[in-house]
Amino acid sequence: MLVNNVPYRTIFLKPSNAKAVHIIDQRALPFKFAIEELINVDDTAKAIREMHIRGAGAIGAAAGFGMYLAALEAPQNIGFGQFLRLAGKKLIATRPTAVNLSWAVERQLDAIAKGTNFDEKISIALETAQAIADEDVEQCRKIGEHGLKLIEEISKKKDGQPVNIMTHCNAGWLAFVDIGTATAPLYLARQKGIKAHVFVSETRPRNQGASLTAWELENEKVPYSLIVDNAAGHLLQRGMVDMIIVGCDRCSRNGDVANKIGTYLKAVAAKENNIPFYAAVPSSSIDFRISDGLKEIHIEQRDEDEVKSVTGKDEKGNMQKVILAPEKSRALNFGFDVTPARLITGLITEKGVCKADEENLMKLFPERKG
Ligand code: MRU
């Protein structure tokens, strides 16, 4: 996407230096647009764990590039494979919920193993990392096209009045390599002159809605209103929302969707008020090995400190962290929740929109049967 008229991806190589990977450091947004350089697998693992780069697609791509950096670092002969397997484990351990991480690492290990010598293995690792990133962009583009049709239908029913769409967290281009999933249909709608307005929930504790989705929509000139997380039920009950589109960190083959904590509550309130609830799900986020999201998806738990404090810019323009709770209070910080398939109107995948169940997912992805 364009930032100050310059096209950016969230993760990229500079033509002048193929031995370093560059990422947008999302911790600095919305106040500063900063690029960070990663030169080895430890840098990459730290950047994922501490959320310099975040969002399922983006961390999948980071794992792909992290494995490439690991291949560059690995001893050339004895120990190459062992170094790579350990690097893969390190990357997968950074964040457990989004399946894209392990998917990208496994893809790299399989691909690199096919190289017959060190140089060939390095070029395969680079090609695979680029392919993972390019496919992510392509999947997002297609999700945008399928999601756009849903917005168009509602727009027609409303005689061109703005379609009010609620989203949660950030499933925009910052959460992927480019374009994004939940926001992709909005960007296309804007290009086609279809009026839409977005309710962006702030997404405590890390506020990805307030700091990232709001920044993206502002940049793309899509009208939006920021809301506190607790306002969602009220807006849905009052008929102020036409549809919800959220992202996905891991979807099981029966259509359960793990996404940022708070997604489930929005889905429950949407069902109660007959508002369509869609999850935008690229196939890289579908875990075809599991068939019960509630039982089988590992939910990341993060530091209590994220709940007990908030970080932002003070009136003088300096970044400040402020404490919200008594010093000794304990906090629980689950990063994600699972929305059961029965609450989901449809999954927007790169192959089309389907009902959230195994039968319909398998119709779109017959190669994953069995
Ligand atoms: O913890 P994050 O910021 O990496 O979580 C990302 C999300 O859960 C978002 O909701 C997003 O929708 C998933 S789509 C990449």
Side-chain angles (χ1 to χ4, degrees):
M1 302 293 280
L2 294 178
V3 180
N4 299 325
N5 282 324
V6 180
Y8 277 97
R9 285 182 168 195
T10 55
I11 182 159
F12 56 93
L13 293 181
K14 287 189 178 167
S16 54
N17 180 9
K19 298 208 164 165
V21 172
H22 291 83
I23 60 168
I24 297 173
D25 184 350
Q26 301 190 26
R27 294 169 307 166
L29 289 170
F31 308 115
K32 200 169 122 199
F33 186 74
I35 302 296
E36 181 182 356
E37 182 181 86
L38 311 174
I39 56 165
N40 55 38
V41 68
D42 285 341
D43 281 355
T44 315
K46 182 170 190 272
I48 299 172
R49 190 182 322 104
E50 295 179 8
M51 294 174 69
H52 311 192
I53 185 163
R54 36 67 51 203
I59 60 179
F65 279 110
M67 291 300 284
Y68 161 62
L69 291 176
L72 288 176
E73 276 180 83
Q76 292 206 10
N77 297 311
I78 299 163
F80 180 88
Q82 171 75 350
F83 188 94
L84 241 64
R85 282 190 294 280
L86 283 177
K89 280 195 181 145
K90 208 179 270 182
L91 289 166
I92 292 173
T94 52
R95 299 202 66 197
T97 299
V99 71
N100 307 59
L101 265 181
S102 54
W103 168 82
V105 166
E106 282 155 23
R107 183 165 161 181
Q108 276 285 30
L109 288 173
D110 288 348
I112 297 168
K114 297 195 175 88
T116 51
N117 58 53
F118 182 73
D119 288 340
E120 202 185 347
K121 284 176 190 289
I122 298 292
S123 5
I124 291 176
L126 177 55
E127 275 163 28
T128 308
Q130 290 286 17
I132 290 170
D134 292 345
E135 285 166 24
D136 175 279
V137 178
E138 191 51 19
Q139 288 180 353
C140 288
R141 196 182 59 73
K142 290 187 178 150
I143 284 174
E145 285 166 7
H146 297 302
L148 172 65
K149 291 183 201 140
L150 301 171
I151 299 179
E152 274 175 324
E153 275 168 32
I154 297 175
S155 169
K156 273 189 203 136
K157 282 190 200 144
K158 291 187 78 176
D159 282 332
Q161 288 304 303
V163 180
N164 288 300
I165 300 167
M166 181 179 279
T167 191
H168 188 56
C169 191
N170 173 262
W173 73 272
L174 291 168
F176 290 85
V177 176
D178 203 352
I179 304 174
T181 55
T183 53
L186 290 161
Y187 300 146
L188 291 182
R190 187 176 171 275
Q191 280 169 23
K192 282 193 83 177
I194 297 165
K195 287 189 193 141
H197 163 269
V198 190
F199 289 110
V200 176
S201 44
E202 57 184 352
T203 320
R204 276 280 291 150
R206 290 187 67 102
N207 293 310
Q208 292 96 324
S211 55
L212 304 177
T213 303
W215 179 82
E216 274 193 32
L217 296 177
E218 187 89 43
N219 228 25
E220 294 304 313
K221 302 188 174 48
V222 175
Y224 68 93
S225 306
L226 191 59
I227 56 166
V228 295
D229 296 325
N230 291 335
H234 175 73
L235 302 187
L236 289 159
Q237 191 183 48
R238 298 288 163 123
M240 293 168 75
V241 181
D242 297 306
M243 72 189 301
I244 298 182
I245 312 181
V246 297
C248 168
D249 288 86
R250 189 183 298 227
C251 174
S252 51
R253 60 191 291 139
N254 66 334
D256 296 337
V257 167
N259 193 51
K260 182 52 58 194
I261 192 85
T263 303
Y264 169 59
L265 273 178
K266 285 187 168 66
V268 171
K271 186 80 170 177
E272 154 86 1
N273 293 286
N274 287 319
I275 312 292
F277 178 99
Y278 290 94
V281 182
S283 56
S284 56
S285 299
I286 306 175
D287 190 342
F288 289 98
R289 299 163 304 184
I290 61 168
S291 46
D292 185 331
L294 269 172
K295 285 197 187 131
E296 295 175 86
I297 298 176
H298 181 175
I299 302 294
E300 174 181 6
Q301 275 192 269
R302 299 185 60 85
D303 202 294
E304 306 184 19
D305 195 46
E306 291 184 348
V307 178
K308 291 164 60 178
S309 65
V310 69
T311 302
K313 197 162 84 167
D314 70 14
E315 284 166 348
K316 291 190 181 128
N318 300 317
M319 289 302 286
Q320 297 283 1
K321 173 173 157 183
V322 294
I323 312 296
L324 304 168
E327 217 175 286
K328 287 189 180 154
S329 67
R330 302 304 312 267
L332 266 184
N333 190 7
F334 288 101
F336 302 89
D337 57 29
V338 176
T339 298
R342 67 172 184 280
L343 299 179
I344 301 173
T345 311
L347 304 174
I348 312 172
T349 77
E350 72 269 22
K351 291 207 182 171
V353 182
C354 73
K355 267 187 78 180
D357 61 33
E358 179 158 356
E359 189 189 336
N360 284 286
L361 263 178
M362 287 307 131
K363 279 186 195 152
L364 290 185
F365 299 96
E367 68 282 8
R368 305 311 297 261
K369 262 192 186 143

